Amino acid sequence: MSYNLIFELGTKVLNQEPLTFEEAMKLTQIDESDIPILLGVANKVRITFTGNQIDTCEIVNARSGSCSEDCKFCAQSAHHDVKIDTYPLMSQDQILQAAKRAESHGAYRFCIVTAGCGMKNDPDFERITESIKQIGSETALERCCSLGILSPDHVKGLKAAGITRYHHNLETSKSFFDKICTTHTYDERIETIKNVKAEGLEVCSGGIIGLGENWEQRVELAFALRDLDVDSVPINVLNPVKGTALEGQSPLKPMEVLQAFAIFRMILPNKILRYAGGREQALGELVPLGFLSGINGMLIGNYLTTTGRGATADLDTVRKLGLKPIAE
C-alpha cells in the first residue's frame, strides 16, 4: 500500500539518507487518497531539518519587458504580445524606496530583478551595483538580485556590492528545457550558478511546474538542484498569461501541486523551498496547505508582472499556522 511506502521513505529521509531517483518517482505514483499522508510526512521533514522559520523575500521588477529571450511562459518576452508595463531601469531612488517598502512589509531579503538574457555588455550593471550598495547602507535587508546570465567578473562585482545570494532559475529539467526556451541553453544557466557558487555566494534557483512537463521531469529538476547544492528553491506554478505561447496550458490540480511541493521537500530536506508565483491561482483557498507540505520560504507582496495576496495576508497566514517569519 502506498501509505506504507510514504512512511518508509519518510523514515529514510529523517535518518538523513538521501532518496534515490527511483524512490522519488514512486512518490509520484501514490494513490490520490494518500497524498495528505505524504504532505504530513513532508511537513515532519521540514520541521526536523529547518524548523518553523519562514524565509521572506520581496522583489522589485526594476527593468521590465522587451526581453530578447523566447521563454514560452514569460509575459516579458519580446516574442510575445502581452500588455504589460515596459520601462528601462528604475532610478536608484525608486529601487531604494522599493527596498524600504519591502522591509516595512516584513521582508528579510530584497531582490532586484531585471528583464533580459544577462549582463554581458549591459550598461545598467554599474547602476545596479550602486543600488545594491545604497540598500545595504540604508536598510537591514539581505540583498539578492536576478539579472540573468553572469560572467565570473559580474559575480565578483555583485559580491563586492554586497549581495549575499543570487537568483537564477533552471526553470525546468534539462530534458524539457528546449520545449520552453531556444534562445539560450540549459548549460548556460548551470554555468552561471557555478560561477556564483565559486565566489562563495548563496544560490536561489528553482523553476516552474505546470509547463507541460511530466512527473519524471519535475523529479529531474529537483535532483539537478540537489546536485548543484543550491540554498533556496523557489517553486512557481504556471499562471498562463494571455499572449504567451503557454496561454492555453491546462492548470494543474491543487493536490498535484501540493504533492509536488512535498516530493521536492523529500528530495531537498534541508533547503529553503520558497512559495513563488502562481500559488494563488493554482491553490486558491488551499494556499495555507503549502506550508504543511514542506514549504518554508515565500515571496511576499507582488510578483514581476502579476499581483499577489499582499504581504499582510501572506504573513498573517504564516503566523496563524504557528510559523515565524524570519525577520521577526
Side-chain angles (χ1 to χ4, degrees):
M1 294 183 180
S2 59
Y3 59 81
N4 289 329
L5 171 73
I6 295 167
F7 289 128
E8 176 188 335
L9 295 182
T11 300
K12 180 178 182 178
V13 175
L14 290 168
N15 287 334
Q16 301 186 47
E17 299 175 43
L19 293 188
T20 66
F21 191 93
E22 292 72 21
E23 287 170 335
M25 281 303 299
K26 288 179 181 178
L27 294 175
T28 73
Q29 300 156 6
I30 62 173
D31 296 337
E32 189 171 357
S33 62
D34 287 334
I35 291 176
I37 297 172
L38 174 62
L39 307 189
V41 171
N43 189 49
K44 178 68 173 178
V45 170
R46 189 264 307 163
I47 293 168
T48 301
F49 285 93
T50 70
N52 279 328
Q53 282 195 325
I54 301 297
D55 186 293
T56 55
C57 176
E58 190 162 317
I59 64 176
V60 62
N61 190 7
R63 188 178 70 191
S64 177
S66 303
C67 181
S68 61
E69 306 309 285
D70 69 353
C71 303
K72 290 186 176 179
F73 55 83
C74 187
Q76 298 195 79
S77 170
H79 297 259
H80 298 145
D81 183 17
V82 182
K83 299 289 189 278
I84 63 166
D85 289 336
T86 300
Y87 47 84
L89 186 70
M90 288 178 171
S91 70
Q92 195 167 317
D93 185 64
Q94 285 175 311
I95 294 173
L96 176 64
Q97 293 310 313
K100 289 183 174 181
R101 284 194 299 274
E103 188 171 39
S104 72
H105 292 163
Y108 177 67
R109 304 179 190 277
F110 180 72
C111 186
I112 298 172
V113 185
T114 59
C117 182
M119 287 289 105
K120 184 178 181 180
N121 300 321
D122 194 315
D124 287 337
F125 184 71
E126 186 174 345
R127 293 171 59 202
I128 293 167
T129 59
E130 288 304 311
S131 285
I132 293 166
K133 292 174 186 176
Q134 186 175 22
I135 292 166
S137 66
E138 298 195 32
T139 76
L141 292 162
E142 292 291 320
R143 289 158 288 165
C144 175
C145 53
S146 181
L147 313 175
I149 293 168
L150 299 181
S151 70
D153 285 343
H154 288 128
V155 179
K156 287 181 172 67
L158 292 172
K159 182 178 181 180
I163 74 159
T164 55
R165 181 178 289 175
Y166 188 73
H167 171 263
H168 193 58
N169 279 346
L170 291 182
E171 305 300 11
T172 189
S173 66
K174 186 171 185 177
S175 65
F176 193 65
F177 188 79
D178 62 2
K179 305 291 191 305
I180 297 301
C181 180
T182 65
T183 47
H184 61 268
T185 68
Y186 196 80
D187 288 341
E188 287 178 281
R189 288 181 175 262
I190 294 285
E191 184 179 3
T192 289
I193 290 171
K194 289 182 176 179
N195 287 340
V196 171
K197 288 183 68 68
E199 282 297 318
L201 294 171
E202 294 183 356
V203 173
C204 179
S205 182
I208 307 170
I209 61 173
L211 297 171
E213 80 288 343
N214 58 33
W215 268 117
E216 185 170 358
Q217 288 159 334
R218 285 177 207 155
V219 173
E220 182 188 338
L221 170 61
F223 272 79
L225 295 166
R226 189 173 84 174
D227 290 345
L228 287 166
D229 193 27
V230 305
D231 302 278
S232 170
V233 179
I235 306 176
N236 298 270
V237 187
L238 180 69
N239 177 19
V241 176
K242 184 175 175 56
T244 64
L246 293 181
E247 67 175 357
Q249 184 67 36
S250 298
L252 299 179
K253 294 179 180 179
M255 291 306 290
E256 183 177 353
V257 172
L258 295 170
Q259 182 181 7
F261 293 161
I263 292 171
F264 268 68
R265 173 54 66 196
M266 299 284 275
I267 296 168
L268 300 157
N270 61 347
K271 303 301 184 182
I272 297 168
L273 295 190
R274 190 178 302 281
Y275 243 155
R279 63 183 185 254
E280 297 87 357
Q281 293 77 16
L283 294 174
E285 62 187 18
L286 299 182
V287 163
L289 280 180
F291 294 106
L292 303 180
S293 309
I295 295 292
N296 66 325
M298 69 188 310
L299 286 179
I300 61 174
N302 296 324
Y303 309 113
L304 290 176
T305 61
T306 57
T307 57
R309 300 166 71 220
T312 300
D314 285 337
L315 295 179
D316 187 52
T317 294
V318 167
R319 296 186 192 101
K320 284 180 176 177
L321 290 169
L323 305 175
K324 182 176 174 60
I326 195 170
E328 296 182 352

